C-alpha cells in the first residue's frame, strides 16, 4: 500500500510542539518522523513522540462508552451507546444542579492538552458552575502569576534568541520539553558557547554540561534565590540604570535579602557558599541571561515567594523583555480567551469559586485540587456532589491519593473521559472513550502566552466509538445549556478561535503555525502593567492581598530521627505523568517504578540495586525498585511518580496504591496563594521491602 505523508505537530504527551511528518497507510500510522523545518524543534523527536501512535491501535483502548453496573469501583461495566452515555451524563449533572445549585458540579481537567481545556471552561461557565478544577496549583500558575503580580507579565525564557547564560532552575527541559520550548534550541546555543547553571538535586544530562551544578536540598530554592539576590545587591552587579528607572521597592528588597548571605544559606540548601557566590556572580555579570524555571520551584508551599524572588533576579540584572532573556511573549491574533470561554456569562465566578473562600491569590481562576476535595468530603465552603473529569488521572496526579479516592467515592456522580480505563476511570459511573492526538484537528498552546500556536491537524480517523473531547463537550453543552451558545459542529470551535487571524483551520494547518509580533522592551513605551508601572520588587498591593511585600521564607523542611531523608521526584522521560503505562513501546523503556538512593544510604539499610524498597513518609508508604546513584546527596531520595499497573484488575483500580508517589504526599499544609501542597521535599525513610 502506498504511504501518504502528513505534516502535523506532536501533542498530548507533554506540552507538545515538535513538528512531525507522519506516514499513513490506509487509516493506520506506520511511521512518525521529525520535520527538520519545525519552528522550534528543528528536526527533534523524542522517544515518546516516536511511539505516540501506538496508543491509537492498542487492543485495550476504550472503544465504547461504559456504564457502571455494580458498586462504584467494582469493575462491572456495560457498554452503552453514545446517545445513552450523553443523556446519562447530562441528566445527572442537571439533577445535581437542580438539587444543590450549579456550583455543586465540578469540571476537572489535568494538564491542558489542547483546545479541550478551554471548551471545558466554556461548558462550566455556561452551565453556571464557577468550579473548573485543574492542576495549575502545581503547574505554571505559581510562576505565571508571580510574574504577573511582579512585572505585569509571565516572563518566558527566550530560546529563540541566543542567551550568554541559561539558568535551569528546577527544570529538566532535555527530558520534559518544558513550555514547548524544545530543547534542541538550547542544545544549539550550547554548541555556540552559551553557559549553563543547573540547580537540581539530580545530576541531569544538562547538569553534566553546566559550568556550575548546584546540588540543592529539595524545597530550599527560595532561600537559594535570596542568596543570589544578596550577592548581586551586595556586590552591585545589578543593572543600575534599569533598577533606578524601572523598579519599585529596591531598598526593601535589599534589606530583606541582607541576612541571606551565601554563608548563612549554604547549610539550608546544602550548597557550598563559594559555589552559590560564583553562580550568583555569573548570573549577575552575564547578559543576556535566561532563567528557565521548572516545576521544582512550584511544587511546594512557598512557591509564590520563590517565583517572586526569581522575577526579581531577572529584573535586577536587566534580563526582562530583552532578546535572550525572559520575555513578555505577544500572542498571535486569535480570539481573546475570555470571549472564547464566555466568561461574561458567569460574572459571579470570582466570588463563588471554591478557592475564593480560602483566600487564594485573586487571579487564580481554577480550583486547587486540595480545596475541591475538601468541598466534596466536608461540604466546605459548600458541597460539591458531581464531577466531569477529562484528560486527567487525579487518583495518581493529585497529592494525597487516599484523600482523592475518598472524594471520588463520595461523589453522587462521576463521569470520566479518557483513552483507557485508568484507576480514576475505574471509579466512574460513566466512562467516555476519547479520540486523541492524530485523530482530531487541534491547536497547540492557545491560551498559554508563548507567542505562537501550532497546528495539529488530524492524520487518521479515530475508531468508530471514540469521540474528540471537543465533540463530547459540544454535545453535552447542547443538552445542558442554550443550544445557540454552541456550534453546530465541534470543529466550529477551531474556526472561532482563528477568526481574528483571517485564516480558516485548513489554511492554518497548511501554514503550520501562527506567531505573535516580536517586540522587546515594551515597557519603554507603556511601563509595566503593575500598580506602580514598574517592576514590583516590593508589592504595592501586598497588604490588600495579605502577602509579604518582599520575598521571605519560613524555615526549611525539618527532617527528624524518624524520617531522616528528603524525598523528591522528577518526571519520567518516557511517560507523561501517569499516562500511557499501558503502551508497550514506552513500558519497555521504563518498565518499573524506580527509587534512586545514594549507595551509602542503600548500604546502611542493606538495600542493593534492584531490591524492592519501601518508601515511607508521615502520610503513607509505597514500594519501588532501588537504583543506587552516587551523584545524589546521601540524604536525598528520588522516587518515581505516576505509577499504576494496567495489567491489574479494575476492582482494585489497577493497583493504584502500591507504588504511587502521591500516597506519600499530604494536603494538610497548603500554600495560601495557590493551595499548593508539597510534592517535592518531604521527610521520609526507606527500608528493604516489602
Ligand atoms: N507527585 C507529583 N504529582 C504531580 C506532579 C509531580 O511532578 N509529582 N506533576 C504535576 C503536574 S506538573 C501536572 S500537569 C499534573 C498532571 O496531572 P494529569 O493531567 O492528571 O496527569 P496524567 O497522569 O497525565 O493524566 C492525563 C490523562 O489524560 C488521558 N488523555 C490523554 N489524551 C487524552 C485525550 O485526548 N482526551 C482525554 N479525554 N484524555 C486523554 C491520559 O490517558 C491520562 O489518563 O500532575 C501533577 N502532579
Ligand atoms: N517526559 C515527560 N515530559 C513532560 C512531562 C512528563 O510527565 N513527562 N510533564 C509535562 C508537564 S505537565 C510539565 S509541567 C513539565 C515539567 O517539567 P520540569 O519542570 O522539567 O519537571 P520535573 O521533572 O518535575 O522537575 C524538574 C527537575 O527538578 C528537579 N528537582 C526535584 N526536586 C527539586 C527541588 O526541590 N529543587 C530543584 N531546584 N530541583 C528539583 C528534578 O530532579 C528535575 O530534574 O514537563 C512536561 N513534560
Ligand atoms: S519532546 Fe514532546 S512534543 Fe517533542 S516529540 Fe517528544 S513528546 Fe512530542
Ligand atoms: Mo504540569
Amino acid at each position: 500500500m502506498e504511504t501518504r505523508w502528513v505534516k502535523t505537530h506532536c501533542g498530548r504527551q507533554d506540552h507538545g510542539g515538535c513538528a512531525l511528518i507522519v506516514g499513513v497507510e490506509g487509516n493506520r500510522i506506520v511511521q512518525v518522523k521529525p520535520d527538520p523545518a519545525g519552528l522550534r524543534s528543528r528536526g527533534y523527536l523524542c522517544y515518546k513522540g516516536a511511539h505516540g501512535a501506538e496508543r491509537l491501535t492498542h487492543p485495550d483502548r476504550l472503544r465504547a462508552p461504559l456504564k457502571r453496573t455494580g458498586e462504584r469501583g467494582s469493575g462491572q461495566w456495560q457498554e452503552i451507546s453514545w446517545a445513552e452515555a450523553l443523556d446519562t451524563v447530562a441528566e445527572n449533572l442537571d439533577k445535581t444542579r437542580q438539587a444543590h445549585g450549579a456550583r455543586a458540579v465540578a469540571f476537572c481537567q489535568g494538564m491542558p492538552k489542547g483546545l479541550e481545556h478551554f471548551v471545558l471552561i466554556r461548558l462550566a461557565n455556561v452551565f453556571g458552575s464557577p468550579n473548573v478544577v485543574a492542576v495549575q496549583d502545581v503547574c505554571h500558575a505559581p510562576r505565571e502569576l508571580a510574574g504577573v503580580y511582579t512585572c505585569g507579565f509571565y516572563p518566558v525564557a527566550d530560546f529563540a534568541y541566543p542567551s550568554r547564560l541559561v539558568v535551569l532552575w528546577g527544570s529538566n527541559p532535555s527530558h520534559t520539553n518544558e513550555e514547548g520550548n524544545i530543547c534542541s534550541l538550547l542544545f544549539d546555543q550550547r554548541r555556540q558557547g552559551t553557559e549553563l547553571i543547573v540547580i537540581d538535586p539530580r545530576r541531569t544530562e544538562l547538569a553534566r554540561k553546566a559550568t556550575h551544578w548546584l546540588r540543592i536540598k529539595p524545597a530550599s530554592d527560595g532561600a537559594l534565590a535570596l542568596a543570589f539576590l544578596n550577592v548581586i545587591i551586595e556586590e552591585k552587579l545589578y543593572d543600575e540604570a534599569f533598577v533606578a528607572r524601572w523598579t519599585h521597592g529596591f531598598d526593601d528588597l535589599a534589606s530583606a535579602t541582607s541576612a541571606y548571605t551565601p554563608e548563612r544559606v549554604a547549610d539550608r540548601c546544602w550548597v557550598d557558599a563559594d559555589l552559590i557566590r560564583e553562580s550568583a556572580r555569573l548570573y549577575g555579570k552575564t547578559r543576556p541571561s535566561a532563567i528557565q524555571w521548572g516545576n521544582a520551584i512550584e511544587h511546594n508551599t512557598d512557591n509564590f515567594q520563590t517565583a517572586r524572588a526569581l522575577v526579581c533576579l531577572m529584573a535586577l540584572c536587566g534580563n526582562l523583555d530583552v532578546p535572550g532573556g525572559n520575555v513578555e511573549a505577544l500572542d498571535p491574533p486569535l480570539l481573546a480567551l475570555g470571549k472564547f470561554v464566555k466568561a461574561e456569562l458567569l460574572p459571579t465566578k470570582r466570588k463563588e469559586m471554591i478557592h475564593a473562600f480560602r483566600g487564594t491569590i485573586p487571579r487564580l481562576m481554577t480550583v486547587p485540587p486540595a480545596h475541591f476535595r475538601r468541598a466534596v468530603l466536608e461540604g466546605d465552603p459548600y458541597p460539591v456532589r458531581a464531577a466531569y473529569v477529562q484528560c486527567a488521572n487525579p487518583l495518581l496526579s493529585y497529592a494525597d491519593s487516599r484523600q482523592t479516592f475518598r472524594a471520588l467515592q463520595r461523589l453522587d456522580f462521576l463521569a470520566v473521559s479518557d483513552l483507557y480505563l485508568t484507576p480514576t476511570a475505574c471509579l466512574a459511573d460513566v466512562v467516555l472513550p476519547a479520540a486523541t492526538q492524530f485523530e482530531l484537528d487541534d491547536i497547540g498552546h492557545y491560551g498559554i502566552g508563548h507567542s505562537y500556536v501550532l497546528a495539529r491537524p488530524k492524520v487518521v480517523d479515530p475508531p468508530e466509538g471514540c469521540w474528540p473531547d471537543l465533540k463530547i463537550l459540544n454535545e453535552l453543552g447542547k443538552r445542558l445549556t442554550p443550544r445557540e451558545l454552541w456550534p453546530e459542529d465541534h470543529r466550529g470551535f477551531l474556526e472561532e478561535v482563528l477568526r481574528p487571524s483571517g485564516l480558516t483551520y485548513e489554511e492554518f494547518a497548511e501554514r503550520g503555525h501562527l506567531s505573535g509580533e516580536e517586540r522587546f522592551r515594551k515597557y519603554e513605551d507603556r511601563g509595566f502593567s503593575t500598580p506602580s508601572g514598574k517592576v514590583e520588587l516590593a508589592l504595592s498591593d501586598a497588604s490588600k492581598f495579605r502577602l509579604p511585600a518582599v520575598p521571605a521564607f519560613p524555615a526549611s523542611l525539618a527532617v527528624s530521627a524518624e524520617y531522616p531523608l528528603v524525598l523528591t521526584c522528577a518526571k519520567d522521560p518516557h511517560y507523561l505523568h501517569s499516562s500511557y503505562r499501558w503502551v508497550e513501546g514506552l513500558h519497555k523503556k521504563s518498565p518499573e517504578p524506580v527509587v534512586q538512593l545514594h549507595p551509602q544510604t542503600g548500604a546502611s539499610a542493606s538495600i542493593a540495586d534492584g531490591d524492592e524498597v519501601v518508601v515511607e513518609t508521615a502520610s503513607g508508604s509505597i514500594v519501588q525498585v532501588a537504583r543506587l546513584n552516587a551523584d545524589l546527596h546521601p540524604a536525598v531520595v528520588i522516587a518515581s511518580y505516576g505509577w499504576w499497573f494496567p495489567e491489574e484488575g479494575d476492582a482494585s483500580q489497577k493497583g493504584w496504591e502500591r507504588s504511587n508517589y502521591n500516597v506519600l504526599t499530604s494536603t494538610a499544609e497548603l500554600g495560601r496563594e495557590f493551595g499548593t501542597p508539597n510534592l517535592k521535599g518531604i521527610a521520609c525513610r526507606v527500608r528493604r521491602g516489602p
Side-chain angles (χ1 to χ4, degrees):
M1 193 181 288
E2 202 182 319
T3 308
R4 182 166 60 89
W5 295 97
V6 186
K7 284 196 173 203
T8 191
H9 285 95
C10 189
R12 294 172 194 257
Q13 298 195 89
D14 54 29
H15 297 158
C18 292
L20 306 178
I21 306 177
V22 184
V24 187
E25 288 175 10
N27 192 49
R28 197 178 172 96
I29 293 176
V30 292
Q31 201 183 349
V32 176
K33 294 197 295 193
D35 182 352
L39 176 70
R40 297 276 170 134
S41 57
R42 299 182 183 166
Y44 183 75
L45 178 73
C46 81
Y47 189 83
K48 281 183 289 153
H51 288 262
E54 285 178 33
R55 292 170 295 159
L56 276 46
T57 50
H58 194 282
D60 295 338
R61 178 177 173 189
L62 291 165
R63 284 183 171 78
L66 301 176
K67 187 163 99 177
R68 162 170 83 80
T69 53
E71 291 284 293
R72 179 173 284 156
S74 65
Q76 291 160 279
W77 305 102
Q78 182 196 340
E79 285 192 8
I80 53 173
S81 68
W82 269 104
E84 184 180 347
L86 293 168
D87 286 344
T88 310
V89 175
E91 267 164 32
N92 280 283
L93 300 189
D94 193 43
K95 203 163 90 187
T96 302
R97 177 167 59 179
Q98 302 287 344
H100 307 283
R103 67 186 188 174
V105 177
F107 293 86
C108 307
Q109 167 93 31
M111 181 194 89
K113 306 243 171 350
L115 199 57
E116 84 294 326
H117 178 45
F118 303 101
V119 178
L120 187 77
I121 300 175
R122 181 195 288 204
L123 178 60
N125 284 341
V126 178
F127 179 85
S129 172
N131 294 320
V132 175
V133 181
V135 286
Q136 263 97 44
D137 62 321
V138 293
C139 184
H140 282 253
R143 68 188 105 158
E144 290 181 20
L145 292 181
V148 168
Y149 279 89
T150 308
C151 65
F153 62 89
Y154 169 42
V156 190
D158 176 24
F159 289 152
Y161 281 85
S163 316
R164 287 183 55 222
L165 170 71
V166 172
V167 183
L168 298 171
W169 202 308
S171 170
N172 184 27
S174 65
H175 286 115
T176 55
N177 174 23
E178 180 55 326
E179 323 245 18
N181 265 324
I182 317 295
C183 204
S184 38
L185 294 188
L186 185 56
F187 281 126
D188 282 355
Q189 289 197 28
R190 273 278 310 142
R191 280 189 283 276
Q192 282 148 30
T194 298
E195 287 191 83
L196 290 177
I197 293 176
V198 174
I199 300 166
D200 199 304
R202 290 186 311 150
R203 191 167 194 180
T204 58
E205 182 185 356
L206 287 161
R208 290 175 198 282
K209 301 180 194 298
T211 308
H212 298 306
W213 168 42
L214 281 62
R215 192 176 69 172
I216 191 171
K217 175 185 179 186
S220 66
D221 297 86
L224 184 67
L226 285 195
F228 269 55
L229 286 166
N230 173 286
V231 173
I232 285 163
I233 293 172
E234 295 292 321
E235 301 188 10
K236 291 204 166 25
L237 301 177
Y238 51 88
D239 179 336
E240 290 188 49
F242 181 88
V243 167
R245 172 70 186 87
W246 289 114
T247 66
H248 166 80
F250 178 78
D251 292 342
D252 294 338
L253 182 70
S255 62
T257 54
S258 64
Y260 287 81
T261 61
E263 289 67 26
R264 288 212 200 140
V265 166
D267 277 354
R268 255 176 99 164
C269 299
W270 297 346
V271 181
D272 182 71
D274 290 339
L275 183 55
I276 298 178
R277 196 172 289 283
E278 282 310 308
S279 304
R281 283 181 182 153
L282 186 59
Y283 181 75
K285 290 177 180 170
T286 315
R287 293 184 199 148
S289 288
I291 299 179
Q292 170 62 49
W293 39 2
N295 270 166
I297 62 145
E298 23 197 33
H299 282 183
N300 54 64
T301 54
D302 303 332
N303 50 16
F304 183 66
Q305 301 302 338
T306 309
R308 282 250 309 129
L310 296 186
V311 184
C312 292
L313 267 176
M314 298 167 193
L316 285 192
C317 297
N319 285 315
L320 274 183
D321 215 23
V322 298
N326 286 82
V327 300
E328 176 184 17
L330 295 176
D331 286 330
L334 299 170
L335 186 65
L337 202 55
K339 282 200 176 137
F340 183 72
V341 302
K342 301 203 181 290
E344 76 282 3
L345 295 182
L346 197 61
T348 53
K349 176 165 174 160
R350 273 177 194 278
K351 283 203 184 121
E352 287 286 307
M353 50 196 188
I354 295 167
H355 53 300
F357 296 80
R358 298 267 152 260
T360 50
I361 207 158
R363 294 194 211 216
L364 180 68
M365 296 305 284
T366 55
V367 183
H371 296 324
F372 157 63
R373 283 169 290 170
R374 219 168 123 182
V376 175
L377 290 167
E378 297 166 28
D380 182 9
Y382 52 76
V384 168
R385 308 289 284 264
Y388 182 88
V389 175
Q390 79 177 9
C391 293
N393 190 7
L395 202 46
L396 276 295
S397 58
Y398 291 176
D400 193 348
S401 301
R402 295 212 170 90
Q403 185 193 47
T404 311
F405 184 83
R406 289 196 304 277
L408 297 179
Q409 285 286 36
R410 181 73 61 84
L411 291 167
D412 294 341
F413 181 76
L414 172 65
V416 175
S417 157
D418 206 299
L419 314 182
Y420 195 91
L421 205 59
T422 60
T424 300
C426 285
L427 295 176
D429 299 294
V430 174
V431 182
L432 303 167
T436 191
Q437 171 68 15
F438 299 123
E439 299 172 336
L440 46 91
D441 289 327
D442 199 6
I443 299 178
H445 290 315
Y446 170 62
I448 303 173
H450 282 173
S451 84
Y452 59 92
V453 291
L454 302 171
R456 298 181 189 158
K458 170 174 161 170
V459 175
V460 290
D461 288 324
E464 209 182 289
C466 300
W467 285 17
D469 291 298
L470 259 50
K471 178 169 172 180
I472 305 173
L473 296 170
N474 197 33
E475 295 309 312
L476 285 174
K478 287 176 189 167
R479 279 168 168 78
L480 282 163
T481 70
R483 236 190 131 81
E484 63 275 13
L485 296 173
W486 300 92
E488 191 54 37
D489 180 281
H490 67 276
R491 293 185 75 273
F493 292 123
L494 301 159
E495 305 296 348
E496 238 180 271
V497 167
L498 287 166
R499 201 159 293 135
S501 72
L503 299 176
T504 63
Y505 187 81
E506 225 167 85
E507 290 161 343
F508 170 56
E510 189 62 34
R511 274 201 202 188
H513 65 89
L514 259 181
S515 295
E517 192 193 345
E518 196 181 78
R519 263 192 303 127
F520 298 99
R521 294 191 177 85
K522 295 174 276 290
Y523 55 85
E524 287 180 350
D525 302 332
R526 50 162 166 78
F528 288 92
S529 307
T530 58
S532 60
K534 297 178 176 181
V535 178
E536 303 224 321
L537 304 174
L539 293 174
S540 310
D541 285 342
S543 54
K544 190 162 122 197
F545 301 133
R546 292 191 296 122
L547 294 165
V550 282
F553 291 91
S556 290
L557 161 83
V559 291
S560 61
E562 206 183 347
Y563 297 106
L565 306 173
V566 182
L567 175 70
T568 192
C569 58
K571 312 283 193 258
D572 187 320
H574 301 105
Y575 296 113
L576 171 67
H577 304 288
S578 77
S579 302
Y580 316 137
R581 291 294 183 292
W582 41 278
V583 176
E584 277 87 1
L586 303 180
H587 197 262
K588 217 165 48 197
K589 277 280 181 180
S590 185
E592 57 194 10
V594 164
V595 55
Q596 299 184 47
L597 309 166
H598 192 274
Q600 216 173 294
T601 313
S604 62
S606 306
I607 295 168
D609 218 78
D611 282 350
E612 287 201 326
V613 177
V614 178
V615 186
E616 285 177 283
T617 66
S619 305
S621 72
I622 61 170
V623 181
Q624 300 202 345
V625 178
R627 183 164 307 148
L628 302 181
N629 178 350
D631 287 332
L632 298 180
H633 187 287
V636 165
V637 175
I638 305 203
S640 298
Y641 137 76
W643 272 90
W644 53 285
F645 302 93
E647 63 281 9
E648 293 193 13
D650 298 0
S652 71
Q653 292 82 46
K654 305 192 166 161
W656 66 275
E657 279 183 286
R658 183 159 25 109
S659 300
N660 173 2
Y661 184 98
N662 279 326
V663 164
L664 304 177
T665 54
S666 158
T667 57
E669 239 182 86
L670 301 172
R672 185 176 63 79
E673 296 88 348
F674 304 100
T676 310
N678 282 329
L679 300 180
K680 290 181 163 75
I682 304 166
C684 80
R685 65 183 176 216
V686 294
R687 64 179 160 83
R688 217 169 109 183

